[in-house]
Amino acid sequence: MEDSEKWNRVETGRSRPCREMRDSCIQTDSKIQGEPGNGPRLSKVNLFTLLSLWMELFPQEQLEEDDTSQMHGMGLVVVREGKVVGLHCSGTDLHAGQAAIIQHGASLADCQLYFSRRPCATCLKMIINAGVSQISFWPGDPEISMLTSALTNQTNSHSYSPPHSITEEAALDAMATEKLKSNSRPHICVQLQPLAPGLLQFVYETSKECDFMERLTEDDPELNTEELFNRERIKHLRHFSRHFLVGTSEQHKHILIQMGLENFCVEPYFSNLRHNMRELVEVLAAVAAGVPQQNCGFYREQMATSLPPHHGEVSQEVARHCIIQARLLEYRTEDPKVGVGAVIWAKGKSAGCSGTGCLYLVGCGYNAYPAGSKYAEYPQMDNKQEDRQRRKYRYIVHAEQNALTFRMRDIKPEEAAMLFVTKCPCDECVPLIKGAGITHIYTSDQDRDKDKGDISYLRFSLLKDINKFIWQRSPSVSSVPSHLANGCIGKHSRQTEHEHYRNKKLCTKRCSDSPAS
Protein backbone atom coordinates (compact mmCIF):
# COMPACT_ATOMS: atom_id res chain seq x y z
CA MET A 1 0.00 0.00 0.00
CA GLU A 2 1.29 3.46 -0.85
CA ASP A 3 2.18 5.66 2.12
CA SER A 4 -0.24 8.38 1.02
CA GLU A 5 -3.09 5.87 0.76
CA LYS A 6 -2.24 4.47 4.19
CA TRP A 7 -2.28 8.00 5.63
CA ASN A 8 -5.65 8.81 4.08
CA ARG A 9 -7.22 5.62 5.42
CA VAL A 10 -5.92 6.23 8.93
CA GLU A 11 -6.96 9.89 9.00
CA THR A 12 -10.50 9.31 7.78
CA GLY A 13 -10.93 6.35 10.11
CA ARG A 14 -11.73 3.91 7.28
CA SER A 15 -9.26 1.34 8.54
CA ARG A 16 -10.54 1.70 12.12
CA PRO A 17 -14.25 2.51 12.36
CA CYS A 18 -15.20 4.30 15.56
CA ARG A 19 -17.34 1.43 16.90
CA GLU A 20 -14.47 -1.01 16.59
CA MET A 21 -11.80 1.13 18.27
CA ARG A 22 -10.72 -0.34 21.57
CA ASP A 23 -8.68 1.09 24.39
CA SER A 24 -5.56 -1.06 24.33
CA CYS A 25 -3.74 0.94 27.01
CA ILE A 26 -5.50 0.11 30.26
CA GLN A 27 -4.10 -0.26 33.74
CA THR A 28 -5.19 -3.88 34.05
CA ASP A 29 -5.59 -6.70 31.56
CA SER A 30 -9.29 -7.18 32.14
CA LYS A 31 -11.45 -8.29 29.23
CA ILE A 32 -14.57 -8.40 31.34
CA GLN A 33 -16.41 -5.16 30.63
CA GLY A 34 -19.82 -6.15 31.98
CA GLU A 35 -18.94 -6.87 35.60
CA PRO A 36 -21.66 -5.77 38.02
CA GLY A 37 -20.77 -2.42 39.55
CA ASN A 38 -18.09 -1.74 36.95
CA GLY A 39 -19.23 1.73 35.86
CA PRO A 40 -18.32 3.43 32.58
CA ARG A 41 -14.91 5.02 32.33
CA LEU A 42 -12.97 7.25 29.97
CA SER A 43 -10.72 5.57 27.44
CA LYS A 44 -7.13 6.72 27.73
CA VAL A 45 -7.30 8.27 24.26
CA ASN A 46 -10.23 10.46 25.33
CA LEU A 47 -8.66 11.23 28.71
CA PHE A 48 -5.46 12.48 27.08
CA THR A 49 -7.47 14.48 24.56
CA LEU A 50 -9.52 16.09 27.35
CA LEU A 51 -6.38 16.95 29.30
CA SER A 52 -4.87 18.59 26.21
CA LEU A 53 -8.02 20.67 25.65
CA TRP A 54 -8.04 21.72 29.30
CA MET A 55 -4.32 22.60 29.24
CA GLU A 56 -4.99 24.98 26.35
CA LEU A 57 -7.11 26.96 28.82
CA PHE A 58 -4.45 27.06 31.56
CA PRO A 59 -4.68 30.46 33.37
CA GLN A 60 -2.03 32.83 32.09
CA GLU A 61 -0.44 35.45 34.31
CA GLN A 62 -0.16 37.85 31.37
CA LEU A 63 -3.29 38.17 29.31
CA GLU A 64 -2.53 37.69 25.66
CA GLU A 65 -5.99 38.17 24.17
CA ASP A 66 -5.52 39.84 20.82
CA ASP A 67 -8.21 39.75 18.17
CA THR A 68 -5.64 40.39 15.46
CA SER A 69 -3.27 37.62 16.56
CA GLN A 70 -2.96 34.69 14.21
CA MET A 71 -1.59 32.32 16.87
CA HIS A 72 -3.74 30.00 18.96
CA GLY A 73 -2.75 28.82 22.39
CA MET A 74 -2.07 25.09 22.56
CA GLY A 75 -2.42 22.33 25.09
CA LEU A 76 -0.16 19.26 24.99
CA VAL A 77 -0.06 15.97 26.89
CA VAL A 78 3.07 13.81 26.69
CA VAL A 79 2.45 10.09 27.29
CA ARG A 80 4.96 7.30 27.76
CA GLU A 81 3.85 3.66 28.16
CA GLY A 82 0.28 4.77 28.81
CA LYS A 83 1.18 7.25 31.57
CA VAL A 84 1.18 11.05 31.50
CA VAL A 85 4.73 12.40 31.79
CA GLY A 86 4.13 15.98 30.69
CA LEU A 87 1.39 18.63 30.69
CA HIS A 88 2.26 21.73 28.66
CA CYS A 89 0.65 24.83 27.20
CA SER A 90 1.72 27.78 25.13
CA GLY A 91 3.28 30.74 26.94
CA THR A 92 4.33 34.26 26.04
CA ASP A 93 7.50 33.11 24.28
CA LEU A 94 7.25 29.37 23.68
CA HIS A 95 4.69 27.21 21.93
CA ALA A 96 3.56 24.11 23.82
CA GLY A 97 5.58 21.88 21.49
CA GLN A 98 8.71 23.96 22.04
CA ALA A 99 8.22 23.85 25.82
CA ALA A 100 8.01 20.04 25.63
CA ILE A 101 11.23 19.88 23.59
CA ILE A 102 13.07 22.05 26.12
CA GLN A 103 11.83 20.10 29.14
CA HIS A 104 12.00 16.53 27.80
CA GLY A 105 14.56 16.68 24.97
CA ALA A 106 15.60 13.31 23.60
CA SER A 107 13.47 11.52 26.21
CA LEU A 108 10.49 12.29 23.94
CA ALA A 109 11.63 9.33 21.84
CA ASP A 110 8.90 6.67 21.70
CA CYS A 111 6.40 8.96 23.48
CA GLN A 112 2.89 9.75 22.26
CA LEU A 113 1.91 13.41 22.04
CA TYR A 114 -1.69 14.63 22.25
CA PHE A 115 -2.21 18.21 20.99
CA SER A 116 -5.38 20.25 21.44
CA ARG A 117 -5.05 21.32 17.77
CA ARG A 118 -2.59 20.73 14.94
CA PRO A 119 0.86 22.12 15.81
CA CYS A 120 2.70 24.54 13.55
CA ALA A 121 5.57 23.43 11.31
CA THR A 122 8.15 24.97 13.68
CA CYS A 123 7.08 22.67 16.52
CA LEU A 124 6.33 19.69 14.32
CA LYS A 125 9.79 19.49 12.78
CA MET A 126 11.48 19.39 16.22
CA ILE A 127 8.99 16.87 17.59
CA ILE A 128 9.45 14.56 14.60
CA ASN A 129 13.21 14.92 14.94
CA ALA A 130 13.02 13.86 18.61
CA GLY A 131 11.69 10.46 17.53
CA VAL A 132 8.21 10.46 19.07
CA SER A 133 6.17 7.42 18.12
CA GLN A 134 2.79 9.11 17.65
CA ILE A 135 1.36 12.61 17.29
CA SER A 136 -2.38 13.06 17.78
CA PHE A 137 -4.32 16.30 17.41
CA TRP A 138 -7.85 17.67 17.21
CA PRO A 139 -8.36 18.95 13.64
CA GLY A 140 -10.01 22.25 14.43
CA ASP A 141 -8.45 25.61 13.64
CA PRO A 142 -4.66 24.91 13.78
CA GLU A 143 -2.01 26.61 15.91
CA ILE A 144 -1.38 29.18 13.19
CA SER A 145 -5.01 30.12 12.77
CA MET A 146 -6.80 29.96 9.46
CA LEU A 147 -9.80 31.75 10.91
CA THR A 148 -10.08 35.43 10.08
CA SER A 149 -12.46 38.20 11.01
CA ALA A 150 -14.23 37.61 7.72
CA LEU A 151 -14.80 33.99 8.69
CA THR A 152 -15.80 34.51 12.31
CA ASN A 153 -18.24 37.27 11.39
CA GLN A 154 -20.22 34.73 9.38
CA THR A 155 -20.87 32.46 12.35
CA ASN A 156 -24.53 33.42 12.52
CA SER A 157 -24.99 33.72 8.78
CA HIS A 158 -27.37 31.31 7.02
CA SER A 159 -25.13 31.16 3.95
CA TYR A 160 -21.41 30.58 3.87
CA SER A 161 -18.77 31.46 1.33
CA PRO A 162 -15.06 30.85 2.04
CA PRO A 163 -13.14 34.08 2.68
CA HIS A 164 -10.18 35.14 0.57
CA SER A 165 -8.32 36.73 3.48
CA ILE A 166 -6.53 33.65 4.88
CA THR A 167 -3.04 34.97 5.31
CA GLU A 168 -0.03 33.74 3.41
CA GLU A 169 1.68 32.67 6.65
CA ALA A 170 -1.14 30.28 7.57
CA ALA A 171 -1.21 28.80 4.06
CA LEU A 172 2.57 28.32 3.99
CA ASP A 173 2.53 26.69 7.43
CA ALA A 174 -0.24 24.30 6.37
CA MET A 175 1.76 23.31 3.29
CA ALA A 176 4.95 22.78 5.34
CA THR A 177 3.07 20.78 7.97
CA GLU A 178 1.64 18.51 5.28
CA LYS A 179 5.09 17.93 3.82
CA LEU A 180 6.53 17.13 7.26
CA LYS A 181 3.63 14.78 7.94
CA SER A 182 4.00 12.83 4.71
CA ASN A 183 7.73 12.32 5.23
CA SER A 184 7.76 11.61 8.96
CA ARG A 185 8.46 8.42 10.85
CA PRO A 186 5.95 9.03 13.67
CA HIS A 187 2.35 8.00 13.22
CA ILE A 188 0.44 11.30 12.88
CA CYS A 189 -3.27 10.88 13.34
CA VAL A 190 -6.53 12.00 14.88
CA GLN A 191 -7.68 9.82 17.77
CA LEU A 192 -11.18 10.40 19.05
CA GLN A 193 -13.37 7.62 20.35
CA PRO A 194 -17.09 7.52 21.14
CA LEU A 195 -17.82 7.68 24.84
CA ALA A 196 -18.72 4.45 26.62
CA PRO A 197 -22.50 3.98 26.89
CA GLY A 198 -23.85 5.89 29.86
CA LEU A 199 -20.58 7.71 30.58
CA LEU A 200 -21.88 11.22 29.88
CA GLN A 201 -24.82 10.78 32.25
CA PHE A 202 -22.45 9.19 34.79
CA VAL A 203 -20.19 12.27 34.60
CA TYR A 204 -23.20 14.57 35.09
CA GLU A 205 -24.40 12.75 38.19
CA THR A 206 -21.02 12.26 39.83
CA SER A 207 -19.94 15.86 39.14
CA LYS A 208 -23.18 17.23 40.56
CA GLU A 209 -22.67 15.20 43.75
CA CYS A 210 -18.88 15.28 44.08
CA ASP A 211 -17.11 16.25 47.30
CA PHE A 212 -16.68 19.84 46.15
CA MET A 213 -20.41 20.31 45.60
CA GLU A 214 -21.19 18.51 48.88
CA ARG A 215 -18.90 20.87 50.75
CA LEU A 216 -20.80 23.87 49.39
CA THR A 217 -24.06 22.33 50.58
CA GLU A 218 -22.52 21.86 54.00
CA ASP A 219 -21.22 25.43 54.12
CA ASP A 220 -24.56 26.85 52.99
CA PRO A 221 -27.53 24.44 53.35
CA GLU A 222 -29.82 26.95 51.65
CA LEU A 223 -27.73 26.94 48.47
CA ASN A 224 -29.42 25.27 45.50
CA THR A 225 -26.40 23.29 44.30
CA GLU A 226 -28.26 21.63 41.43
CA GLU A 227 -29.19 25.01 40.00
CA LEU A 228 -25.62 26.23 40.52
CA PHE A 229 -24.21 23.14 38.78
CA ASN A 230 -26.53 23.42 35.79
CA ARG A 231 -25.81 27.14 35.40
CA GLU A 232 -22.05 26.52 35.48
CA ARG A 233 -22.31 23.56 33.10
CA ILE A 234 -24.26 25.49 30.47
CA LYS A 235 -21.87 28.44 30.73
CA HIS A 236 -18.84 26.19 30.24
CA LEU A 237 -20.53 24.24 27.46
CA ARG A 238 -21.13 27.39 25.44
CA HIS A 239 -17.59 28.63 25.98
CA PHE A 240 -15.88 25.32 25.16
CA SER A 241 -18.08 24.76 22.10
CA ARG A 242 -17.15 28.14 20.67
CA HIS A 243 -13.49 27.56 21.46
CA PHE A 244 -13.02 24.04 20.10
CA LEU A 245 -15.77 23.21 17.62
CA VAL A 246 -14.89 25.89 14.98
CA GLY A 247 -18.39 27.29 14.56
CA THR A 248 -20.61 25.78 11.88
CA SER A 249 -20.04 22.58 9.95
CA GLU A 250 -19.30 24.53 6.76
CA GLN A 251 -16.69 26.65 8.49
CA HIS A 252 -15.06 23.56 9.93
CA LYS A 253 -14.99 21.85 6.54
CA HIS A 254 -13.35 24.89 4.99
CA ILE A 255 -10.62 24.86 7.65
CA LEU A 256 -9.98 21.14 7.06
CA ILE A 257 -9.65 21.68 3.32
CA GLN A 258 -7.18 24.53 3.86
CA MET A 259 -5.17 22.24 6.16
CA GLY A 260 -5.00 19.53 3.50
CA LEU A 261 -7.41 17.28 5.41
CA GLU A 262 -10.22 17.15 2.89
CA ASN A 263 -10.63 13.41 3.59
CA PHE A 264 -12.18 14.38 6.91
CA CYS A 265 -14.97 16.20 5.10
CA VAL A 266 -16.35 12.93 3.73
CA GLU A 267 -19.53 11.74 5.42
CA PRO A 268 -20.16 10.06 7.78
CA TYR A 269 -16.63 10.60 9.09
CA PHE A 270 -17.01 14.36 9.42
CA SER A 271 -20.26 14.11 11.38
CA ASN A 272 -18.78 11.40 13.61
CA LEU A 273 -15.71 13.55 14.22
CA ARG A 274 -17.72 16.55 15.39
CA HIS A 275 -20.10 14.34 17.39
CA ASN A 276 -17.23 12.71 19.29
CA MET A 277 -15.65 16.09 20.05
CA ARG A 278 -19.00 17.51 21.12
CA GLU A 279 -19.35 14.67 23.62
CA LEU A 280 -15.89 15.38 25.01
CA VAL A 281 -16.75 19.06 25.33
CA GLU A 282 -19.88 18.09 27.28
CA VAL A 283 -17.77 15.92 29.60
CA LEU A 284 -15.32 18.77 30.16
CA ALA A 285 -18.14 21.22 30.88
CA ALA A 286 -19.72 18.88 33.45
CA VAL A 287 -16.41 18.15 35.19
CA ALA A 288 -15.56 21.86 35.37
CA ALA A 289 -19.05 22.67 36.69
CA GLY A 290 -18.41 20.32 39.62
CA VAL A 291 -15.82 22.82 40.88
CA PRO A 292 -17.83 26.05 40.47
CA GLN A 293 -16.18 29.44 40.21
CA GLN A 294 -18.85 31.52 41.92
CA ASN A 295 -17.90 32.53 45.49
CA CYS A 296 -15.85 29.36 46.05
CA GLY A 297 -12.17 28.56 46.35
CA PHE A 298 -9.31 26.91 48.23
CA TYR A 299 -8.51 28.61 51.52
CA ARG A 300 -5.61 27.91 53.85
CA GLU A 301 -6.54 26.01 56.94
CA GLN A 302 -5.73 27.68 60.24
CA MET A 303 -3.48 25.37 62.27
CA ALA A 304 -2.73 25.34 65.99
CA THR A 305 0.84 26.38 65.14
CA SER A 306 0.49 28.54 62.06
CA LEU A 307 2.96 27.84 59.28
CA PRO A 308 4.90 30.72 57.76
CA PRO A 309 3.92 31.96 54.29
CA HIS A 310 5.37 29.77 51.56
CA HIS A 311 6.14 30.53 47.95
CA GLY A 312 4.18 27.44 46.94
CA GLU A 313 0.76 29.03 47.04
CA VAL A 314 -0.95 29.50 43.69
CA SER A 315 -3.84 31.66 42.55
CA GLN A 316 -7.40 30.45 42.86
CA GLU A 317 -7.60 30.14 39.05
CA VAL A 318 -4.54 27.88 38.88
CA ALA A 319 -5.64 25.81 41.89
CA ARG A 320 -9.05 25.24 40.33
CA HIS A 321 -7.49 24.35 36.98
CA CYS A 322 -5.24 21.74 38.62
CA ILE A 323 -8.02 20.17 40.66
CA ILE A 324 -10.09 19.79 37.47
CA GLN A 325 -7.09 17.98 35.94
CA ALA A 326 -7.37 15.60 38.88
CA ARG A 327 -11.14 15.31 38.41
CA LEU A 328 -10.64 14.29 34.77
CA LEU A 329 -8.17 11.62 35.85
CA GLU A 330 -10.65 10.13 38.31
CA TYR A 331 -12.86 8.99 35.41
CA ARG A 332 -10.22 6.38 34.56
CA THR A 333 -10.70 4.71 37.94
CA GLU A 334 -11.05 0.95 38.25
CA ASP A 335 -12.78 1.30 41.60
CA PRO A 336 -16.44 0.53 40.83
CA LYS A 337 -17.71 3.02 43.41
CA VAL A 338 -15.24 5.81 44.20
CA GLY A 339 -13.11 7.66 41.66
CA VAL A 340 -10.09 9.62 42.87
CA GLY A 341 -7.59 11.61 40.83
CA ALA A 342 -4.37 13.30 41.91
CA VAL A 343 -1.88 15.67 40.29
CA ILE A 344 1.42 16.84 41.78
CA TRP A 345 3.06 20.05 40.59
CA ALA A 346 6.37 21.48 41.81
CA LYS A 347 6.84 25.23 41.93
CA GLY A 348 10.31 26.55 41.21
CA LYS A 349 11.68 29.90 42.35
CA SER A 350 11.71 31.39 38.86
CA ALA A 351 9.27 31.17 35.98
CA GLY A 352 10.18 29.46 32.76
CA CYS A 353 9.01 30.47 29.31
CA SER A 354 6.14 27.97 29.13
CA GLY A 355 2.54 28.81 29.89
CA THR A 356 2.61 27.09 33.30
CA GLY A 357 4.97 29.70 34.75
CA CYS A 358 6.96 28.32 37.68
CA LEU A 359 5.03 25.03 37.73
CA TYR A 360 6.55 21.72 36.65
CA LEU A 361 4.60 18.47 36.56
CA VAL A 362 5.83 15.85 39.02
CA GLY A 363 3.24 13.14 38.51
CA CYS A 364 -0.42 12.26 38.25
CA GLY A 365 -2.56 9.21 38.85
CA TYR A 366 -5.95 7.72 39.64
CA ASN A 367 -7.00 4.89 41.93
CA ALA A 368 -6.68 1.51 40.23
CA TYR A 369 -5.59 -2.07 40.74
CA PRO A 370 -1.86 -2.85 40.35
CA ALA A 371 -0.53 -2.42 36.82
CA GLY A 372 -0.54 -5.54 34.68
CA SER A 373 -2.94 -7.45 36.91
CA LYS A 374 -6.30 -8.90 35.98
CA TYR A 375 -9.18 -6.71 37.02
CA ALA A 376 -11.70 -9.55 37.44
CA GLU A 377 -9.51 -11.36 39.98
CA TYR A 378 -9.86 -8.65 42.64
CA PRO A 379 -12.72 -8.12 45.09
CA GLN A 380 -15.16 -5.32 44.31
CA MET A 381 -17.07 -5.03 47.58
CA ASP A 382 -16.95 -1.98 49.82
CA ASN A 383 -17.34 -1.75 53.59
CA LYS A 384 -21.11 -2.27 53.46
CA GLN A 385 -20.63 -6.00 52.92
CA GLU A 386 -19.90 -8.16 55.96
CA ASP A 387 -17.31 -10.45 54.39
CA ARG A 388 -14.07 -8.49 54.89
CA GLN A 389 -12.07 -10.94 52.80
CA ARG A 390 -14.02 -9.87 49.72
CA ARG A 391 -13.52 -6.13 50.14
CA LYS A 392 -11.45 -4.06 47.71
CA TYR A 393 -9.44 -1.86 50.10
CA ARG A 394 -6.32 -4.03 50.38
CA TYR A 395 -5.94 -4.19 46.60
CA ILE A 396 -6.70 -0.71 45.22
CA VAL A 397 -3.62 1.48 44.63
CA HIS A 398 -4.64 5.01 45.58
CA ALA A 399 -4.40 8.01 43.26
CA GLU A 400 -1.73 9.68 45.43
CA GLN A 401 0.28 6.45 45.48
CA ASN A 402 0.19 6.16 41.69
CA ALA A 403 1.15 9.81 41.27
CA LEU A 404 4.20 9.32 43.53
CA THR A 405 5.17 5.92 42.12
CA PHE A 406 5.17 7.04 38.48
CA ARG A 407 6.50 10.55 39.02
CA MET A 408 8.72 12.05 36.33
CA ARG A 409 11.04 14.03 38.57
CA ASP A 410 12.18 14.07 42.17
CA ILE A 411 10.82 16.65 44.58
CA LYS A 412 13.61 19.06 45.47
CA PRO A 413 13.81 20.38 49.04
CA GLU A 414 13.94 24.00 47.87
CA GLU A 415 10.79 23.64 45.77
CA ALA A 416 7.19 23.74 46.87
CA ALA A 417 5.46 20.47 45.98
CA MET A 418 1.70 20.79 45.61
CA LEU A 419 -0.70 17.86 45.65
CA PHE A 420 -4.13 18.41 44.10
CA VAL A 421 -6.38 15.49 45.03
CA THR A 422 -10.14 15.07 44.65
CA LYS A 423 -10.73 13.42 48.03
CA CYS A 424 -9.26 13.87 51.50
CA PRO A 425 -6.02 11.80 51.78
CA CYS A 426 -6.54 8.66 53.86
CA ASP A 427 -4.34 7.28 56.64
CA GLU A 428 -2.59 4.98 54.17
CA CYS A 429 -1.46 7.92 52.01
CA VAL A 430 -0.68 10.61 54.62
CA PRO A 431 2.73 9.14 55.63
CA LEU A 432 3.69 8.82 51.94
CA ILE A 433 2.69 12.40 51.24
CA LYS A 434 4.71 13.66 54.17
CA GLY A 435 7.72 11.47 53.43
CA ALA A 436 7.79 12.49 49.76
CA GLY A 437 8.21 16.14 50.68
CA ILE A 438 4.77 17.46 49.70
CA THR A 439 4.45 20.98 51.13
CA HIS A 440 0.93 21.92 50.02
CA ILE A 441 -2.31 19.94 49.71
CA TYR A 442 -5.34 21.25 47.83
CA THR A 443 -8.41 19.11 48.46
CA SER A 444 -11.87 18.75 49.88
CA ASP A 445 -12.06 17.36 53.41
CA GLN A 446 -15.47 15.68 53.40
CA ASP A 447 -14.07 12.42 54.83
CA ARG A 448 -11.81 14.03 57.41
CA ASP A 449 -11.77 12.31 60.83
CA LYS A 450 -13.93 9.43 59.60
CA ASP A 451 -13.07 5.82 60.42
CA LYS A 452 -14.71 3.36 58.04
CA GLY A 453 -12.98 0.24 59.35
CA ASP A 454 -11.16 -0.76 56.19
CA ILE A 455 -10.12 2.81 55.43
CA SER A 456 -9.82 5.78 57.74
CA TYR A 457 -9.07 9.51 57.49
CA LEU A 458 -7.81 10.30 60.98
CA ARG A 459 -4.20 11.32 60.22
CA PHE A 460 -5.04 14.21 57.89
CA SER A 461 -5.98 16.49 60.79
CA LEU A 462 -2.69 15.64 62.54
CA LEU A 463 -0.54 16.98 59.70
CA LYS A 464 1.02 20.09 61.21
CA ASP A 465 3.88 20.85 58.81
CA ILE A 466 2.02 20.84 55.48
CA ASN A 467 -0.07 23.74 54.19
CA LYS A 468 -3.62 22.53 53.66
CA PHE A 469 -5.95 24.44 51.35
CA ILE A 470 -9.55 23.30 51.75
CA TRP A 471 -12.30 23.85 49.18
CA GLN A 472 -15.11 26.00 50.59
CA ARG A 473 -17.26 29.05 50.06
CA SER A 474 -15.27 32.25 50.12
CA PRO A 475 -15.24 33.65 53.69
CA SER A 476 -15.52 37.17 52.25
CA VAL A 477 -18.98 36.55 50.75
CA SER A 478 -20.45 34.50 53.59
CA SER A 479 -22.05 35.66 56.80
CA VAL A 480 -19.04 34.26 58.60
CA PRO A 481 -18.40 34.44 62.34
CA SER A 482 -15.20 36.01 63.61
CA HIS A 483 -13.42 32.65 63.76
CA LEU A 484 -13.17 32.70 59.94
CA ALA A 485 -10.54 35.31 59.23
CA ASN A 486 -7.94 36.00 56.54
CA GLY A 487 -9.19 33.22 54.31
CA CYS A 488 -8.28 30.57 56.88
CA ILE A 489 -10.52 27.95 58.39
CA GLY A 490 -10.03 25.34 61.07
CA LYS A 491 -11.75 22.03 61.70
CA HIS A 492 -13.57 23.24 64.82
CA SER A 493 -14.57 26.44 63.08
CA ARG A 494 -16.14 24.46 60.26
CA GLN A 495 -18.06 22.28 62.70
CA THR A 496 -19.26 25.33 64.63
CA GLU A 497 -20.50 27.06 61.49
CA HIS A 498 -22.18 23.92 60.23
CA GLU A 499 -23.86 23.41 63.62
CA HIS A 500 -25.08 27.02 63.49
CA TYR A 501 -26.73 26.48 60.10
CA ARG A 502 -28.18 23.11 61.16
CA ASN A 503 -29.72 24.50 64.36
CA LYS A 504 -31.11 27.47 62.46
CA LYS A 505 -32.70 25.15 59.90
CA LEU A 506 -34.08 22.90 62.66
CA CYS A 507 -35.54 25.89 64.50
CA THR A 508 -37.21 27.14 61.33
CA LYS A 509 -38.72 23.71 60.71
CA ARG A 510 -40.08 23.49 64.26
CA CYS A 511 -41.65 26.92 63.95
CA SER A 512 -43.34 26.00 60.69
CA ASP A 513 -44.65 22.73 62.19
CA SER A 514 -46.10 24.37 65.31
CA PRO A 515 -49.87 25.04 65.36
CA ALA A 516 -51.03 28.58 64.76
CA SER A 517 -51.96 30.49 67.90
Side-chain angles (χ1 to χ4, degrees), residues 296-335:
C296 315
F298 290 92
Y299 294 93
R300 190 166 178 262
E301 184 179 64
Q302 181 66 48
M303 307 300 296
T305 56
S306 183
L307 293 170
H310 200 289
H311 72 282
E313 297 182 18
V314 295
S315 68
Q316 291 290 351
E317 293 79 10
V318 171
R320 180 176 176 275
H321 194 278
C322 294
I323 208 71
I324 291 173
Q325 294 169 1
R327 287 219 62 235
L328 288 170
L329 285 160
E330 77 177 47
Y331 286 103
R332 275 293 299 170
T333 184
E334 293 173 351
D335 187 322

Side-chain angles (χ1 to χ4, degrees), residues 342 365 396-406 426 428-429 432:
I396 289 281
V397 182
H398 298 188
E400 303 96 314
Q401 296 168 354
N402 272 319
L404 288 169
T405 300
F406 300 110
C426 70
E428 190 176 319
C429 291
L432 293 170

Side-chain angles (χ1 to χ4, degrees), residues 443-494:
T443 189
S444 171
D445 63 346
Q446 292 303 102
D447 288 326
R448 181 205 287 257
D449 296 336
K450 294 181 180 178
D451 186 350
K452 300 181 180 180
D454 293 284
I455 187 169
S456 57
Y457 302 86
L458 306 177
R459 292 187 177 185
F460 183 72
S461 294
L462 303 178
L463 279 174
K464 302 298 183 183
D465 52 354
I466 294 180
N467 290 276
K468 289 179 278 188
F469 292 81
I470 306 303
W471 172 260
Q472 59 186 294
R473 278 179 62 85
S474 170
S476 63
V477 298
S478 305
S479 54
V480 247
S482 58
H483 57 257
L484 289 179
N486 301 322
C488 300
I489 186 168
K491 176 66 177 173
H492 295 293
S493 301
R494 176 185 162 192

Side-chain angles (χ1 to χ4, degrees), residues 54 203-214 216 224-237 240 281-294 296 320 323-324 327-328 331 471:
W54 187 236
V203 173
Y204 285 168
E205 296 301 323
T206 51
S207 294
K208 188 167 55 178
E209 300 172 358
C210 70
D211 280 16
F212 301 97
M213 297 299 291
E214 283 188 7
L216 297 185
N224 188 331
T225 51
E226 183 167 358
E227 181 181 318
L228 173 63
F229 173 81
N230 287 329
R231 186 169 63 246
E232 289 278 308
R233 184 184 65 82
I234 292 171
K235 178 186 71 175
H236 290 309
L237 183 58
F240 298 157
V281 165
E282 290 185 32
V283 167
L284 187 58
V287 171
V291 192
Q293 293 172 295
Q294 184 178 357
C296 315
R320 180 176 176 275
I323 208 71
I324 291 173
R327 287 219 62 235
L328 288 170
Y331 286 103
W471 172 260

Side-chain angles (χ1 to χ4, degrees), residues 387-433:
D387 187 356
R388 293 192 65 190
Q389 292 183 354
R390 300 183 62 190
R391 295 180 188 173
K392 63 189 178 183
Y393 297 99
R394 296 183 185 274
Y395 307 98
I396 289 281
V397 182
H398 298 188
E400 303 96 314
Q401 296 168 354
N402 272 319
L404 288 169
T405 300
F406 300 110
R407 65 185 183 275
M408 284 69 67
R409 63 198 302 269
D410 291 330
I411 297 172
K412 301 176 183 178
E414 67 273 13
E415 291 179 341
M418 295 168 289
L419 168 67
F420 299 86
V421 60
T422 58
K423 287 190 75 69
C424 178
C426 70
D427 291 357
E428 190 176 319
C429 291
V430 164
L432 293 170
I433 292 168

Side-chain angles (χ1 to χ4, degrees), residues 7 9-25 42-53 77-80 82 110-119 133-140 186-195 261 264 269 272-280:
W7 167 258
R9 290 188 64 182
V10 169
E11 279 220 320
T12 57
R14 294 176 186 174
S15 61
R16 271 182 273 176
C18 292
R19 293 181 183 275
E20 295 177 8
M21 295 179 76
R22 293 178 179 270
D23 178 21
S24 59
C25 299
L42 277 172
S43 69
K44 280 199 171 181
V45 165
N46 284 343
L47 170 63
F48 302 148
T49 302
L50 278 167
L51 286 172
S52 72
L53 299 178
V77 178
V78 181
V79 177
R80 182 186 299 116
D110 299 324
C111 287
Q112 298 84 44
L113 273 58
Y114 290 78
F115 285 94
S116 60
R117 54 186 76 237
R118 191 168 79 168
S133 63
Q134 179 177 285
I135 299 169
S136 176
F137 63 93
W138 160 241
H187 177 56
I188 305 178
C189 60
V190 171
Q191 289 198 99
L192 281 180
Q193 298 174 348
L195 294 183
L261 301 179
F264 275 107
Y269 311 115
N272 288 339
L273 183 78
R274 284 179 65 87
H275 173 74
N276 291 342
M277 175 52 76
R278 191 175 293 109
E279 284 192 327
L280 287 189

